[in-house]
Amino acid sequence: DSGVTQTPKHLITATGQRVTLRCSPRSGDLSVYWYQQSLDQGLQFLIQYYNGEERAKGNILERFSAQQFPDLHSELNLSSLELGDSALYFCASSVGTGVSYNEQFFGPGTRLTVL
Amino acid sequence: AQSVSQHNHHVILSEAASLELGCNYSYGGTVNLFWYVQYPGQHLQLLLKYFSGDPLVKGIKGFEAEFIKSKFSFNLRKPSVQWSDTAEYFCAVNAPGGSYIPTFGRGTSLIVHP
């Protein structure tokens, strides 16, 4: 158990819908990262938040957005869902955002299926 | 931009065989290197990491990796695999001075037959 929790574990929805994935980082970790894992794309970095502020952006679609709340949990919002958005979405956390702190701890993931 | 290549996409071994998974990265400066493992149905876990010092790094569960700067490589090794090593293995590279976001390789699926 990494200490990072994600809900829900599984999500099945239809195209065009909107979903919210939730992540709670390890106690004391200020950075939260979101990744998308699919068979054809591997593990793709989406976005990072540090202490409530967006810190880095990766291959995140405009239909996707995220935020980190004062209690440091984070939510990833996926809207206008397409079949290709079906994937495993991981959240990871780390203590900080500098080189000494970039060991990441991953949550169990949310498996999203878009029908 | 940095990139990571894992040349072996699928590896099948028998128990007690030796394992070496390749990882090459493209970045000319100082790097931090990681190997993560993802057991079936589980989250990614850190196997080992290299920040500086001895280029031969020992991790958990008998794994080790060697950083060879001249070859831009960080190969993962285990002298004798077990059935329980069946998992997906990911190499990741982070370049200090950048965004500090690790770039992951595509992963290598290892199946160990008992």
Side-chain angles (χ1 to χ4, degrees):
Chain A
D1 184 2
S2 66
V4 179
T5 60
Q6 288 186 250
T7 57
K9 289 190 73 173
H10 302 277
L11 200 48
I12 301 174
T13 188
T15 54
Q17 295 299 305
R18 173 190 168 95
V19 296
T20 297
L21 313 183
R22 182 188 169 107
C23 168
S24 292
R26 290 189 323 154
S27 176
D29 285 358
L30 298 179
S31 267
V32 170
Y33 311 77
W34 285 98
Y35 290 87
Q36 179 192 59
Q37 185 182 34
S38 59
L39 283 174
D40 57 340
Q41 294 288 327
L43 196 64
Q44 297 283 316
F45 167 68
L46 296 178
I47 197 165
Q48 178 207 3
Y49 277 82
Y50 174 73
N51 204 20
E53 293 188 3
E54 183 185 303
R55 185 56 65 100
K57 240 177 179 176
N59 300 321
I60 188 166
L61 300 172
E62 285 191 13
R63 301 183 285 110
F64 296 180
S65 65
Q67 53 184 327
Q68 186 179 27
F69 294 86
D71 67 352
L72 300 177
H73 89 270
S74 178
E75 292 181 356
L76 179 67
N77 301 296
L78 315 175
S79 61
S80 303
L81 285 168
E82 302 174 0
L83 295 177
D85 297 328
S86 295
L88 197 52
Y89 290 84
F90 283 108
C91 166
S93 73
S94 67
V95 171
T97 191
V99 63
S100 299
Y101 301 102
N102 61 0
E103 177 178 339
Q104 297 176 324
F105 295 85
F106 282 80
T110 292
R111 182 167 295 282
L112 173 67
T113 302
V114 182
L115 301 175
Chain B
Q2 61 205 32
S3 65
V4 180
S5 297
Q6 291 183 242
H7 310 296
N8 319 101
H9 296 297
H10 300 279
V11 174
I12 300 174
L13 296 172
S14 297
E15 274 194 322
S18 64
L19 169 72
E20 181 159 3
L21 301 183
C23 173
N24 285 90
Y25 63 91
S26 65
Y27 185 78
T30 303
V31 291
N32 299 323
L33 301 156
F34 308 83
W35 275 99
Y36 285 86
V37 60
Q38 185 180 24
Y39 297 105
Q42 296 189 28
H43 60 277
L44 276 78
Q45 305 171 45
L46 185 68
L47 264 183
L48 47 79
K49 61 187 177 186
Y50 172 80
F51 279 7
S52 64
D54 188 345
L56 186 60
V57 180
K58 295 196 182 299
I60 61 171
K61 305 187 181 187
F63 286 91
E64 64 178 31
E66 185 175 13
F67 169 50
I68 303 179
K69 189 174 181 179
S70 60
K71 294 185 178 180
F72 299 91
S73 70
F74 190 56
N75 292 354
L76 181 70
R77 299 194 294 247
K78 186 170 184 178
S80 175
V81 294
Q82 301 172 305
W83 174 78
S84 57
D85 293 324
T86 294
E88 190 92 14
Y89 292 81
F90 294 90
C91 179
V93 175
N94 176 286
S99 64
Y100 300 111
I101 307 297
T103 300
F104 283 82
R106 291 288 301 273
T108 296
S109 172
L110 171 66
I111 295 175
V112 179
H113 289 301

